[in-house]
Amino acid sequence: MEKEQLQQIVSQFAIQGDVVDVKPLGNGLINTTYKATTAGEAPDYVLQHINTAIFPDVDMLMGNIVAVTDHIRTKLAGDPQIERKCLRFVPAKDGKYYYHDGDKYWRVMVFIPDTMSLSEVTPETSYIVGKTFGQFQSWLADIPVELGETIKDFHNMEFRLWQLREAVKANKSGRLEKVQDLVDAIEKRADEMCKAERLHREGKLPKRICHCDTKVDNILFEKNGDVLCVIDLDTVMPNFVFSDFGDYLRSAANTGKEDDENLDNVSFNMDIFRSFAKGYIESASAFLTPVEIENLPYAAKLFPYMQTVRFLADYIDGDLYYKTQYPEHNLVRSRAQWKLFESADAHEDEMKEFIATL
């Protein structure tokens, strides 16, 4: 879009100062983001086009985000750095936290200057991620409002297995025979891996407010390395704590690539697990139940299992959901994730022993 159009969109929000420039910011995969620079002493702002293909209910999305940031602000009341430690979204002039220009939905938040982000996964950064997201969940454990699911059934294992079974029935691509061994292996573990939904129905496992996209990139840091705040709040919604715990380890504890063709490269890194688990339990233990803590090793297995199911269902369907770079890409992804699942499974007793020491 032209700069003048973007400036006009920003002007629909209750910002301070005059916007003098709008330029692209970052390289996010979901929402298109710009930095709006103002004149004088007024703060700068972040303008985002909300991707409604992924988040169709903008009212729910922004209601969740504002409820979460408002609640965190109550926890940080009196902190002189509160404006750097919690995102602040700006309402449009009609009072809503988004603006519709007739075509696209937009939102604005205050830009936090002089920050940095990290992307390298190490035991040290994994400890920080665990501690930061454990604290994030802890702050939200007593939020007084009910949030909606911005992506329905996002981490619901029973739903993901249903999708696979529907793909197997239809066999749209004619590929089922090639992967029947993997389908059979998945089905053998299906009952065990749906434990979370079963425990929830039995009243033994609560849903919490989770981030659902735990990674070091989603933490903002001061230039000296101190943690400031959790960002990218679009997927914050009710879920089991296993979502934040297991999803991080699925990517961070993988010694290979998500789509590694050489399965010898793929294994579950226990050093990353120990560091992340230590940080997470340190900050989350005040609200975690014994059932939640006991099943954290299950969470570490759940997410490579779930991702195997998702990649395989898409492969059998004919590659309709995930972008692929070559015809067998989703199958390569599926087998790599299954290898990671098997490695995590082999380390389950070791994970349990470590957690018992914390």
Side-chain angles (χ1 to χ4, degrees), residues 214-259:
T214 41
K215 52 189 179 183
V216 68
D217 315 55
N218 282 336
I219 300 173
L220 207 57
F221 293 84
E222 292 279 19
K223 296 286 189 181
N224 66 4
D226 289 346
V227 171
L228 278 175
C229 61
V230 170
I231 59 173
D232 198 359
L233 305 179
D234 289 336
T235 54
V236 174
M237 56 182 153
N239 221 313
F240 308 121
V241 295
F242 306 151
S243 290
D244 284 358
F245 193 87
D247 199 25
Y248 177 76
L249 291 167
R250 184 190 73 83
S251 55
N254 187 352
T255 59
K257 296 181 295 185
E258 182 178 77
D259 58 355

Side-chain angles (χ1 to χ4, degrees), residues 19-75:
V19 175
V20 296
D21 196 14
V22 183
K23 292 182 178 178
L25 177 67
N27 55 358
L29 299 177
I30 305 299
N31 303 309
T32 307
T33 306
Y34 303 88
K35 180 184 177 185
T37 303
T38 59
E41 297 299 314
D44 296 331
Y45 296 90
V46 175
L47 170 69
Q48 282 188 323
H49 159 225
I50 300 170
N51 187 335
T52 51
I54 296 176
F55 303 107
D57 191 334
V58 177
D59 262 322
M60 178 201 290
L61 175 73
M62 295 311 300
N64 279 7
I65 289 173
V66 172
V68 163
T69 52
D70 283 353
H71 191 69
I72 290 174
R73 283 174 174 273
T74 66
K75 304 291 184 175

Side-chain angles (χ1 to χ4, degrees), residues 130-143:
K131 189 154 190 171
T132 301
F133 282 98
Q135 178 66 75
F136 182 79
Q137 287 182 346
S138 181
W139 278 334
L140 298 173
D142 61 349
I143 193 168

Side-chain angles (χ1 to χ4, degrees), residues 305-353:
Y305 179 88
M306 186 184 300
Q307 202 58 50
T308 305
V309 168
R310 294 183 67 186
F311 283 144
L312 189 61
D314 198 36
Y315 178 74
I316 296 169
D317 271 339
D319 307 319
L320 302 177
Y321 184 83
Y322 292 105
K323 290 181 181 178
T324 55
Q325 296 171 3
Y326 51 90
E328 301 293 281
H329 198 178
N330 271 327
L331 178 55
V332 169
R333 288 165 166 158
S334 300
R335 295 204 182 278
Q337 289 296 293
W338 186 254
K339 175 68 185 300
L340 181 62
F341 165 71
E342 290 179 321
S343 179
D345 190 44
H347 285 290
E348 183 171 18
D349 288 343
E350 190 179 349
M351 287 190 266
K352 289 179 177 178
E353 289 169 8

